[in-house]
Amino acid sequence: MLFYVRTFGCQMNKADSEVAAGTLLAAGHLETTDPAEAELIVINTCAVREHAVDRLYGYVNSLKSPLKHNQSPLLAVGGCVAEQKRSALWKDLPQTDIIFGTSAFHLLPQAIDRAAKGETRIDLLQATELLPDHLHVRPEDPWRAWLPISRGCNNFCSYCVVPYTRGREASRALDIVLTDAKTLVARGAREITLLGQNVNSYGNDLGEPGLFAHLLSSLDDIPDLRRVRFLTSHPKDLSPATIAALAASANACEHVHLPLQAGSDRILTAMNRGYTLDKYLERVEALRAAIPGVALSTDLIVGFPGETEEEFNETLAAVERINYDSAYTFIYSPRPGTPAAELPDEVSWRTKETRLRQLIELQSTLSDRACQAYLGRVVEVFVIGPSRRGEVSWTGRTRTNKIVNFPAAGAWAGRFASVRITGAGTASLTGSLCGPIE
Ligand code: SAH
Ligand code: SF4
Ligand code: F3S
């Protein structure tokens, strides 16, 4: 079958979609980049905010448009919305043929065989608890790879649906993660991003606390693995040992995504985040002391139920004080089934929008300033591919995760370049090539 995969949501979903595509390819199916010619459309969904779910419904309904071949394609809908809605999804999206959960991506070929035999409404929600190891993966990009080290989440932040859609935290064994990393590097990956909802608690469920620090040091011993990144680092579990391992590791990048969510201790408690602003600031200081030049990014939510103007101002003050390189900012979205959704929500939509705007404005000033600081510096850029401006211009990232565009003749994708920064915007830098870094 000719299949097409559409992915909504986070990096974990992107990694899961690579497993879906890899398994289908290994079973002899073929991938297309054109949904109109696909005989099978696989949609990997996100339930984190209402907007993500609305986009899914909009997308599925847009698929009604005439297709290039006569038969309508098989539709497989999986991931977090499928886990959240379960059988109610048949009602919401009756055109769906296969529903699969967040741990059944590798079972799609079997479901297709069942559909081919005439079975309808195939349900793979209860299929497995955990994805098996060593799955087929079709990477999006040969030089950069995702590597899930754990699945699920035990933190139950009061606003968040993820523990319900992805179940309890389950760490993959260290030797398996290391074997995977070596395989990825042997296939050409030079950068690996470790994935988990909370990488800092990696190993806790195996009775091996502190395993993340150990993993970072072990990855540093893999020759040709030039960069290691990781998502997401929960502030409450960021230990001194992990900070020391990051500082000591040559390939761990100087960038930590450390979601703050809110600057008020009352809101942080109501969110069940497990830290106070002071605790968070302590960890930021420890990171900055141990890793000179470390870039910090964050996630922030405005308009949590009951958030007062004063409490929102505490978020603004914290953001200014911490001076992030970048931030993802969200308006709180009540998720059915979460404790926060039961709280009375006195904050009006208008207020939420105003707060979001204020926060974005502040952060773009800080991001501008962070970019300006690069002017004149020579940085190592890992080149991802041609920039949107065309083949003569290339785009890549610094170790601190800043986007750099630079013009250069020749083929640069997948290579490391030394680039002098000559221009700075809010979200990206421009520069001129000094030469390759082998
Ligand atoms: N495990 C990661 C976050 C995964 S969700 C962590 O804890 O850092 C990514 C981000 O989406 C969160 O950090 C949060 O800022 C945002 N988010 C999650 N649930 C949300 C909700 N109900 N409304 C608005 N934003 C939400
Ligand atoms: Fe959601 Fe909190 Fe878990 Fe992140 S740590 S996935 S925000 S419950
Ligand atoms: Fe969305 Fe599920 Fe990721 S809800 S953010 S796709 S874990």
Side-chain angles (χ1 to χ4, degrees), residues 400-415:
T400 52
N401 214 29
K402 287 265 176 301
I403 297 171
V404 178
N405 298 308
F406 66 96
W412 282 93
R415 295 173 65 193

Side-chain angles (χ1 to χ4, degrees), residues 48-49 159 197 232 259 261 273 299 301 330-331 333 335:
V48 80
R49 282 169 292 275
Y159 51 81
Q197 295 303 337
T232 297
Q261 312 299 1
R273 286 291 289 178
D299 291 348
I301 298 176
F330 309 105
I331 290 181
S333 170
R335 307 315 297 131

Side-chain angles (χ1 to χ4, degrees), residues 80 83 88 90 117 136-137 165 183 242 252 257 303 306 320 335 364 422:
C80 289
E83 291 282 358
W90 297 122
K117 287 188 191 120
H136 296 284
V137 176
T165 63
T183 308
T242 296
H257 184 67
E320 184 143 29
R335 307 315 297 131
S364 62
T422 53

Side-chain angles (χ1 to χ4, degrees), residues 153 155-157 159-160 162-163 197 234 273:
C153 184
N155 293 313
F156 289 94
C157 300
Y159 51 81
C160 185
V162 173
Q197 295 303 337
H234 196 305
R273 286 291 289 178

